[in-house]
Amino acid sequence: MPIIKSAIERAKTNVKANERNSAQLSTMRTAVKRFEQAKTAGADNAEDLFRQASAAVDKAASKGLIKRNKAARDKSRMAARLAK
């Protein structure tokens, strides 16, 4: 455990940021999985789910949770799958 006050505060900040980032990543992954499952099942709302998943991927990339190239790759794969 840290002893210095600034280190204690930084540890608390790191915990909060970790929770926030984990939640954001989880939201993104869930959105992508929902789209994939809907497309596999042939659901009618696949296009709406694609938009939500694409937005979630963009948001994660803008927050620095995933790299921009990964975001582009994921969106490209989802778009190709939607077009099939």
Side-chain angles (χ1 to χ4, degrees), residues 44-73:
D44 296 334
N45 64 344
E47 198 165 320
D48 291 333
L49 291 173
F50 169 73
R51 275 195 229 102
Q52 291 173 359
S54 181
V57 169
D58 281 338
K59 190 170 184 181
S62 72
K63 302 284 184 189
L65 301 178
I66 61 174
K67 292 190 176 184
R68 296 237 179 246
N69 280 353
K70 177 176 168 40
R73 184 176 67 240

Side-chain angles (χ1 to χ4, degrees), residues 2-83:
I3 296 172
I4 298 168
K5 185 175 180 182
S6 62
I8 293 169
E9 291 170 1
R10 191 69 202 153
K12 288 181 188 176
T13 304
N14 287 342
V15 169
K16 286 181 189 175
N18 189 358
E19 289 172 358
R20 190 180 322 111
N21 292 341
S22 298
Q24 186 73 43
L25 265 179
S26 177
T27 301
M28 182 200 75
R29 289 178 182 140
T30 302
V32 171
K33 285 179 188 176
R34 280 192 185 139
F35 165 72
E36 293 290 337
Q37 290 170 350
K39 188 61 182 167
T40 301
D44 296 334
N45 64 344
E47 198 165 320
D48 291 333
L49 291 173
F50 169 73
R51 275 195 229 102
Q52 291 173 359
S54 181
V57 169
D58 281 338
K59 190 170 184 181
S62 72
K63 302 284 184 189
L65 301 178
I66 61 174
K67 292 190 176 184
R68 296 237 179 246
N69 280 353
K70 177 176 168 40
R73 184 176 67 240
D74 287 350
K75 287 172 59 178
S76 175
R77 285 178 181 169
M78 287 190 296
R81 182 159 168 121
L82 180 67

